[in-house]
Amino acid sequence: MVEITVRKRPRTEAVVTQRKFFKKTARGKVIKVLRERYLRDDVSCGIHSCQVCASEQESVLPSSGLLEHPSFPNGHFLLPDTNVFLSQMDLMESPLFDPPIVLLQTVLEEVRHRSLPLYNRLKALVKADEKKVWVFYNEYRSETAVIREDGESPNDRNDRGIRKATAWYKSHLELSRPAIRGQSRPPQPAVVLLTDDVANRQKAEKEGLPCVSVRKYIEGYKNSSQLLDLLSASGSDTIEPTAAMAIRQALYPEYLPTATLLAGVKSGQLHQGHFNANQYNYLEGSVLVPAFDKPVLLAGRENMNRAVQGDIVAVEVFDEKEWKAPADEVVDQEATLKNDDAEDSEDEGEDDEVLAERKVLNAEAAKQAASSKQPTGRVVGIIKRNWRSYVCHIDSTSLTSTNPTSLSQQTVFATPVSRLLPRIRLRTRQAPALIGQKILVTIDRWERTSRYPEGHFVRALGKVQSKEAEQESLLLEFDVPYRPFGKAILDCLPPEGDKWVVPPKSSTHSDWRDREDLRDLIICSIDPPGCQDIDDALHARRLPNGNVEAGVHIADVSHFVHPDTPMDHEAAARGTTVYLVDKRIDMLPALLGTNLCSLRPHVERLAFSVIWELSPEAEIVNVRFTKSVIASKSAFTYEEAQIRKDDPKLSDELTESIRLLNDLARKLKAGRMAAGALNLASPEVKIQLDSSESSDPVDVEQKELRETNSLVEEFMLLANISVARKIQETFPQTAVLRRHLPPPRTNFEKLQDILKKRKGMTLDVSSSGALAASLDKCVDPNEPAFNTLVRIMATRCMLSAEYFCSGSVARDTFGHYGLASPIYTHFTSPIRRYADVLAHRQLAASIGYSPLHASLHSKSHVERVLEVVNKRHRMAQMASRASIEFYVGLALKARSEKGTVLEDAFVIRTFRNGLGVFVSRLGIEGLVTFKREIQFDADNYTITAPAEDHDVTISVFDKVQVTVEVEQDKNTQRGRVVMYLSKPIDSRRL
């Protein structure tokens, strides 16, 4: 028998092996946490051919380190501290930067604590094949573990732990390469502490450890001229301020301390919310806060106080007598600040730009109407920054030298593609080469003394208006993950690949366990043209008792995507498939999305079916849910299904099934409308491409909606509602649901006022039913498109629908306002939406098919996942719209080269110096501006402009004709759609 020895740890070791800390619970209670850590002496160094470490793990660090740096001729390894990863992640990710790196556990944990997005990027860096990064678990190695000393801050303790690990590596390398008798000691590679913390460097030097700042290290590195541009301004060495800097005037108020901000928000003296910039006026922003029905207005640079779109800010609301109304003038940043100097923009005196901004603000203040005033305030602090990389263009007028061979550093302006962002000052040696390129820029800091934020260049995306650069910039702008699926994810796919088939029916085979065989049912799918990821299919048949059986069959994605696997994690991170005009960014690998899960015709597929018995009046008699195997009999486009339904010569089973489904869908829709569902509208257009191989746009046309569109929509809604009821009943605390909150009545005030004054119509917003009824009455007999326009404008007054965890909100807030349904979820598109995958897992558990994974029993986990999914869903919609706008611009450019493009448009907004118009045929909005003074009646939403022999009055809802052109900006080389009024007057004369 094997002898087992039990060793008792001495009490004196507890100080080192136990980690004690305090944390606050969600309810504010402070608890002490005591964690035991087991120290060992076999944690590997990760260096190849190390004679001391006997590890089974594959080493990733070369034995001699990097030999190409002049400061370390014997080779070296880099050991960065935490702040290097927090400030210089773009450098660390660059393919030009590839030294062997030791990543300490202390650093990894501190990055996770400080910034989860950067932690995720760091994890990806560790896994990248082209990088040489070794994670050294210094907190578990007996020689490198440290404990916090009395009076020592957590930051100082971590710095000491990093220095101790550096010293251990130094001595470890000496042990692994002992001197041979009679020979000189072989050259030892250095382990270099990389830090921008001056105090930490001084302590390391005293301890005899090699250390260097990031900038100094990069100056001696290969490709230094390109890598220096990647350095973050916030992470650079501390520089002694010059006399000029010392006397520089502060342009913005100082932020309040974080503790003061949080206490102020808690007491109600301050208010917290997301900062939203005004796309028409760069000198205005707003923050929606719970305490007020209307957003808090921030007028002027000082009151916006360096907030950037999406930042979570704390605002102080002024006394009511200081409240203002939003500006009614278009104020363009590029036009107002075109003469600003990137080098001198920090020395702000009474220059032309400041005077121009002050003039605009004073003019607006003088024209305020008391009735339109709203809460007004100022930003007093930032709760959380939303800074990331932004797609920009270099402003050519800000260059001091355009010599393409010049490598001198210049300070230039980068103008973001988004109108919601300020210009960014950056220092670069590559400025002349970047003219006419789309580039990626990250904001690093925004000092009180600088009019603009400072940032650094990340990389060039390609030539402006090239499709490749535009497509990549669009994905980056809306934070769409588009990297190829990695090996770990692809390893989760069935090993048979595209040869996988549903196995022959067998009671013993796991794929057939508890599945219904529905292969003989007359099932078909109806989708847009060219659809490859077919999520859903339908069937209907009459029952002997006079009722109808109808079924919705959804791809059984959860059979292939298992919880807590690399593929599941990637799908959760992507959240949704993103549809661009000529490209699709899939949530799942193509093998699943367009093949094994796709319900293609004449192929057996696994499905999750919802089957109802409905009365002839489409009332639900009963519903059941089952896993199934189906074989779709046909895949129709909406147009093909419509033609088949309408053809009186056809009476086969499939056609009759479509007719039966359509008859039920009409009754289901009538029932929804009677319950108060809204029939809203959004501008939907279709881009006609040259051919299936080419992505050159030929023309733009409005999407045609047929009865069969409504047929599919109604049954998908019915399935989603039925599934929502089932999973909420089974999992009342963690059901994945979707809601659409009623909009605040104040959202509709402006639209109500415009309709009343311009058309004499009323809009009742007391309930969704009342709103639906009053929208039906907004009809202009002379203009059929008027009702659609009003519905589009009403849609913009709504709140966005969102996914939520059932246990996280009150039961009376579950409802979907637009659908007039008390409960709703998404179940019908699991190939392209991750929320649907979660709903599938919960439904499978609720019918006893499979147990629910532990993560879906955790309310906090479900909340975290849905927060990501909601963000990805919003971004995907914005990316799709931006893609359409880009292709509309290309189509317009091609048309304008053949002649003038004239389009009918509706006026949707009036300004003191222009009009906002909507071109329904193109599905785009535009701005028509006037350079000359015109009469503006804000109360009646009209402008009056001089024509040849009389004045012309134009108001909101008027139909006008516009000339549409695509103009190239001289500075940024960016193409943009520009509109001019042609009728009733020519705006170019104004």
Side-chain angles (χ1 to χ4, degrees), residues 382-393:
I382 306 293
I383 305 289
K384 186 180 180 184
R385 283 290 189 193
N386 188 45
W387 290 352
R388 55 184 178 82
S389 296
Y390 299 105
V391 180
C392 300
H393 308 265

Side-chain angles (χ1 to χ4, degrees), residues 523-540:
I523 294 172
C524 68
S525 60
I526 307 174
D527 291 285
C531 180
Q532 294 178 301
D533 49 348
I534 303 173
D535 286 287
D536 55 88
L538 306 103
H539 89 275

Side-chain angles (χ1 to χ4, degrees), residues 700-717:
V700 184
E701 60 182 42
Q702 284 185 292
K703 279 187 180 177
E704 185 181 349
L705 296 179
R706 298 176 172 84
E707 256 191 317
T708 45
N709 289 82
S710 182
L711 181 162
V712 175
E713 181 185 4
E714 290 304 320
F715 276 99
M716 296 308 113
L717 293 176

Side-chain angles (χ1 to χ4, degrees), residues 248-480:
R248 187 181 294 158
Q249 179 185 356
L251 310 177
Y252 299 100
E254 195 168 353
Y255 291 143
L256 297 177
T258 303
T260 307
L261 294 178
L262 297 176
V265 170
K266 192 171 183 180
S267 67
Q269 292 179 310
L270 302 176
H271 304 274
Q272 179 179 319
H274 286 87
F275 173 77
N276 294 299
N278 185 332
Q279 63 173 323
Y280 296 111
N281 183 349
Y282 79 98
L283 292 174
E284 267 188 10
S286 62
V287 180
L288 193 63
V289 299
F292 298 98
D293 290 335
K294 290 185 177 181
V296 176
L297 178 68
L298 310 170
R301 281 179 181 278
E302 283 189 28
N303 292 330
M304 290 191 286
N305 197 6
R306 295 168 284 157
V308 172
Q309 176 72 15
D311 286 349
I312 300 176
V313 299
V315 295
E316 175 189 29
V317 177
F318 299 148
D319 192 84
E320 194 167 344
K321 62 177 179 288
E322 296 182 57
W323 288 8
K324 298 177 180 178
D328 49 25
E329 186 170 351
V330 178
V331 184
D332 183 57
Q333 178 177 220
E334 289 183 36
T336 309
L337 303 175
K338 61 186 176 184
N339 297 321
D340 212 354
D341 187 340
E343 293 281 3
D344 299 331
S345 62
E346 295 184 356
D347 300 324
E348 183 150 353
E350 294 296 299
D351 59 16
D352 293 340
E353 287 71 32
V354 180
L355 295 173
E357 289 181 355
R358 194 169 295 161
K359 182 181 176 184
V360 169
L361 292 169
N362 291 339
E364 288 301 332
K367 299 165 187 169
Q368 298 290 329
S371 60
S372 59
K373 290 184 178 180
Q374 65 188 64
T376 306
R378 66 188 181 104
V379 172
V380 293
I382 306 293
I383 305 289
K384 186 180 180 184
R385 283 290 189 193
N386 188 45
W387 290 352
R388 55 184 178 82
S389 296
Y390 299 105
V391 180
C392 300
H393 308 265
I394 294 290
D395 184 345
S396 60
T397 61
S398 64
L399 268 67
T400 53
S401 168
T402 55
N403 182 354
T405 60
S406 170
L407 288 178
S408 60
Q409 190 176 61
Q410 298 185 53
T411 302
V412 296
F413 281 132
T415 304
V417 170
S418 172
R419 294 170 60 91
L420 302 174
L421 299 167
R423 292 199 283 185
I424 303 167
R425 293 172 70 245
L426 61 93
R427 294 178 176 86
T428 175
R429 291 167 172 76
Q430 304 174 62
L434 297 177
I435 297 295
Q437 299 266 325
K438 281 207 162 187
I439 63 170
L440 207 57
V441 173
T442 297
I443 295 179
D444 298 324
R445 64 185 178 195
W446 196 343
E447 301 290 352
R448 292 176 61 207
T449 52
S450 175
R451 186 187 295 166
Y452 302 102
E454 290 182 56
H456 67 269
F457 166 77
V458 179
R459 64 186 174 96
L461 304 176
K463 194 169 177 56
V464 168
Q465 291 195 301
S466 69
K467 286 199 193 70
E468 296 74 18
E470 293 291 345
Q471 197 169 73
E472 187 178 10
S473 71
L474 189 148
L475 295 172
L476 289 164
E477 185 65 23
F478 297 104
D479 202 18
V480 175

